[in-house]
């Protein structure tokens, strides 16, 4: 897991050909920093990140105070695990960004990033300016306001999630972090489609706002229940009043529809876990049918382009070709099940081994781990209930992704950080010599022959 830290933290990047070299580098750096109390942590961070080769075995110390760095370096030099240090080895696999769906939102999400990073703030402002033309209230006031119930209304939830997720993408993009693939869960798929180039910002905002508004206007009622069961087990129990809303794992589905019909499905598995979701409507179910005609009219007025980043859709559970360019795709996207399990397995088949989750929490990271057949790394960029550490949580996520070999531009990162850091002299790389010739015989000794 990526380390958690507090505001003001900076990353100290170390790498080596192997674990021994990494530990030796940590020990050399520890001696240098201990002997020179005038070294500024930000200057050390900048110098390590921009004047060293990036080798296979990596560690990143993320902290804010000198004593914290020293303690972490001691642990790293001793080969001990400690908080505040991300460890990893460069993976040959590809990377993917996952965009979270509805239900992950929380009041104030992104506020600290907005205050700390111009790239995030500029992107969020641009999205809100477009979105406000479609909404009854300014989106940023809802997002950063004091009324959590208002943010939880679908007409605002979906635009808010789209805004924060796209702004997160632009922030990572400004640091040189770009994915090989993108994918999203429900509303998150529109964010994925936009950053991939399928939809312009104007058209994406029109689509998101219409989707949320038309869903909100439907009659309330209906339920969604998460059930610990496979899709194959649930399918025979469905009726025209309840359907599968999401397949989130091999034994994790969400059913949605009329309350009694959905409860009956859950009750068919008395020894399994089930949980009723807190939602205003039964999404991805027959309860959405009343909005589809009006929604189709909106989508038919939009323009679609070929994706510039490969997209794996959780409607089809496969790599997108030209499906997203049709109105019918987005209508089905509202009504049909979210095939998250299939989408993650398609990413795995495509060689993805590192996943960054762009959203308010680590919901998809938790779900996806049960979907894979091989090990992979999951890195949520934000976490719920930690608003005071948003900016540094993003730095920690960046550090963890870097240890996996995800490319990034450290110069751009420090230029945007506002630290004013500059180069300082640091220890050179601790080469690990290997002797390939036999030791010479001691004087006077006789050579052995066999």
């Amino acid at each position: 897991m990526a380390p958690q830290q507090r505001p003001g933290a900076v990353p100290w990047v170390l790498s080596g050909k192997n674990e021994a070299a990494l530990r030796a580098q940590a020990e050399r750096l520890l001696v240098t920093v201990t002997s020179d109390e005038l070294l500024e942590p930000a200057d050390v961070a900048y110098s390590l990140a921009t004047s060293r080769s990036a080798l296979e075995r990596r560690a990143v110390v993320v902290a804010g105070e000198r004593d914290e760095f020293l303690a972490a370096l001691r642990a790293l030099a001793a080969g001990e695990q400690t908080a505040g240090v991300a460890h990893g080895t460069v993976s040959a696999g590809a990377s993917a960004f996952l965009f979270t769906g509805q239900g992950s939102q929380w009041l104030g999400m992104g506020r600290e990033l907005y205050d700390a990073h111009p790239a995030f703030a500029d992107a969020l402002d641009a999205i809100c300016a477009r979105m406000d033309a479609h909404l009854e209230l300014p989106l940023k006031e809802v997002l950063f306001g004091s009324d959590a119930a208002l943010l939880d209304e679908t007409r605002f939830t979906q635009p808010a999630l789209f805004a924060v997720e796209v702004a997160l993408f632009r922030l990572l993009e400004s640091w040189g972090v770009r994915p090989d693939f993108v994918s999203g869960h429900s509303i998150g798929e529109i964010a994925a489609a936009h950053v991939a180039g399928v939809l312009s910002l104007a058209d994406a905002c029109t689509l998101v706002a219409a989707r949320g508004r038309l869903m909100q206007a439907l009659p309330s009622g209906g339920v969604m229940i998460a059930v610990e069961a496979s899709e194959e087990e649930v399918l025979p129990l469905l009726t025209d009043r309840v359907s599968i809303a999401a397949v989130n794992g091999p034994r994790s589905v969400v059913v949605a529809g009329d309350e009694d019909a959905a409860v009956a499905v859950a009750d068919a598995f008395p020894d399994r876990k089930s949980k009723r979701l807190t939602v205003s409507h039964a999404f991805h179910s027959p309860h959405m049918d009343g909005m589809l005609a009006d929604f189709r009219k909106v989508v038919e007025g939009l323009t679609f382009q070929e994706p510039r980043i490969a997209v794996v859709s959780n409607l089809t559970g496969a790599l997108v070709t030209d499906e997203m360019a049709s109105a019918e795709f987005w209508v089905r996207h509202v009504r049909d099940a979210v095939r998250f399990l299939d989408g993650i397995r398609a990413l795995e088949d495509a060689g993805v081994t590192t996943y960054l989750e762009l959203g308010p929490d680590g919901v998809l990271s938790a779900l996806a781990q049960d979907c894979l057949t091989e090990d992979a790394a999951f890195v949520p960029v934000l976490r719920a209930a930690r608003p005071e550490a948003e900016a540094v949580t993003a730095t920690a996520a960046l550090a963890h992704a870097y240890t996996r070999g995800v490319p990034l531009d450290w110069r751009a990162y420090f230029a945007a950080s506002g630290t004013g850091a500059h180069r300082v002299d640091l220890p050179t790389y601790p080469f690990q010599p290997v002797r390939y010739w036999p030791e010479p015989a001691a004087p006077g000794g006789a050579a052995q022959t066999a």
Side-chain angles (χ1 to χ4, degrees):
M1 295 296 293
Q4 301 301 319
Q5 6 49 41
R6 55 184 186 69
V10 293
W12 284 14
V13 176
L14 298 91
S15 69
K17 281 287 187 181
N18 51 43
E19 184 66 22
L22 187 65
R23 291 171 60 181
Q25 187 179 6
E27 188 170 0
R28 284 191 179 190
L29 184 59
L30 177 62
V31 172
T32 298
V33 177
T34 302
S35 63
D36 187 351
E37 295 185 0
L38 297 180
L39 280 174
E40 291 289 340
D43 293 339
V44 176
Y46 177 79
S47 303
L48 287 170
T50 62
S51 65
R52 295 288 187 271
S53 297
L55 303 176
E56 290 83 0
R57 183 64 183 161
R58 300 180 181 182
V60 182
V61 178
V62 185
E65 300 294 337
R66 186 174 183 275
D67 289 346
E68 295 170 340
F69 282 112
L70 294 178
L73 287 176
R74 289 189 190 98
L76 187 57
E80 300 170 353
Q81 296 293 321
T82 186
V85 181
H87 292 267
T89 301
V90 172
S91 168
S95 64
F97 285 2
L98 305 179
F99 295 85
T100 322
Q102 191 165 346
S104 59
Q105 70 278 357
W106 46 275
L107 195 64
M109 56 183 179
R111 180 56 189 263
E112 187 178 303
L113 289 176
Y114 184 89
D115 293 337
H117 295 290
F120 183 92
D122 290 346
L124 193 76
D125 284 344
I127 297 163
C128 289
R130 293 280 189 180
M131 204 71 79
D132 286 352
H134 304 284
L135 303 176
E136 296 87 344
L137 294 171
L139 181 57
K140 198 158 58 176
E141 290 184 12
V142 177
L143 180 58
F144 295 157
S146 58
D147 190 344
L150 189 62
L151 178 64
D152 286 341
E153 293 184 15
T154 297
R155 59 182 174 142
F156 294 120
T157 305
Q158 296 189 8
L161 286 170
F162 174 85
V164 169
E165 291 173 3
V166 173
L168 283 172
F169 179 89
R170 299 304 176 202
L171 176 61
L172 294 180
E173 185 179 52
S174 75
W175 294 340
V177 184
R178 297 178 179 85
D180 298 300
F181 297 87
V182 293
S183 188
H185 195 290
S186 195
I187 186 65
E189 187 154 318
I190 303 180
H194 165 61
V195 301
V198 175
L199 288 159
S200 68
L201 180 58
D203 280 352
C205 288
T206 298
L207 181 66
V208 171
R211 191 179 191 269
R213 182 184 67 253
L214 291 169
M215 285 181 173
Q216 183 78 46
L218 290 169
S220 60
V223 299
M224 301 183 75
I225 303 176
V227 182
E228 184 185 6
S230 68
E231 181 180 14
E232 292 73 22
E233 290 175 313
V234 169
L235 280 173
L237 306 175
L238 302 180
T239 69
D240 59 358
R241 297 192 300 121
V242 62
S243 61
I244 292 179
V247 182
N248 288 329
R251 285 166 56 88
S252 177
V253 301
V254 177
V255 294
D258 291 353
E259 181 174 9
D260 60 337
V263 169
V265 173
D267 287 347
F269 305 95
D271 298 327
R272 312 274 186 88
K273 294 179 181 178
S274 65
K275 179 182 178 181
R276 186 177 299 212
L277 306 184
T278 304
V279 293
S280 59
H281 296 77
F283 303 119
H284 301 284
S285 83
H287 285 230
M288 296 293 102
D289 291 346
M291 65 163 284
L292 299 183
D294 288 338
F295 187 61
R296 181 179 282 104
K297 292 177 183 177
V298 173
V299 182
E300 286 173 345
L302 307 180
T303 301
F304 301 93
Q305 305 293 335
E306 289 292 319
R308 297 188 297 270
I309 303 173
V311 183
V312 168
S313 170
N314 285 314
L315 174 63
T316 64
L319 186 67
V320 166
T321 52
D322 58 356
E323 302 95 321
M324 284 185 166
S326 71
E328 190 57 33
F329 175 92
W330 294 106
V331 172
R332 288 182 54 216
H333 191 262
V334 169
R335 177 63 176 81
D336 291 357
V338 179
R339 306 199 64 82
F340 182 71
L341 169 62
D342 294 341
I344 290 296
R345 287 185 170 169
L347 289 168
E348 182 180 37
D349 290 343
V352 174
T353 57
T354 304
Y355 299 80
L356 276 73
E357 182 172 353
L358 277 61
D361 203 359
V363 177
L364 300 185
S365 297
L367 291 174
Q369 294 181 59
D370 291 332
C371 299
L372 299 178
T373 59
E374 303 290 339
D375 289 338
F378 293 90
V379 187
V381 177
L382 289 184
R383 288 286 196 173
R386 297 173 188 167
E388 74 285 351
E390 269 191 332
V392 290
T393 300
T395 298
L398 190 72
H400 191 78
Y402 173 78
T403 67
R404 296 280 298 174
V406 174
L408 62 95
D409 184 344
W410 283 114
R411 292 183 185 277
Y413 171 83
F414 281 98
S417 69
T419 62
H422 63 276
R423 285 275 300 276
V424 293
D425 290 334
L426 296 176
T428 56
Y429 182 77
F431 289 99
Q432 308 292 296
V434 177
R435 186 174 183 85
Y436 291 97
W437 304 106
E439 293 285 348
Q448 294 271 328
T449 59

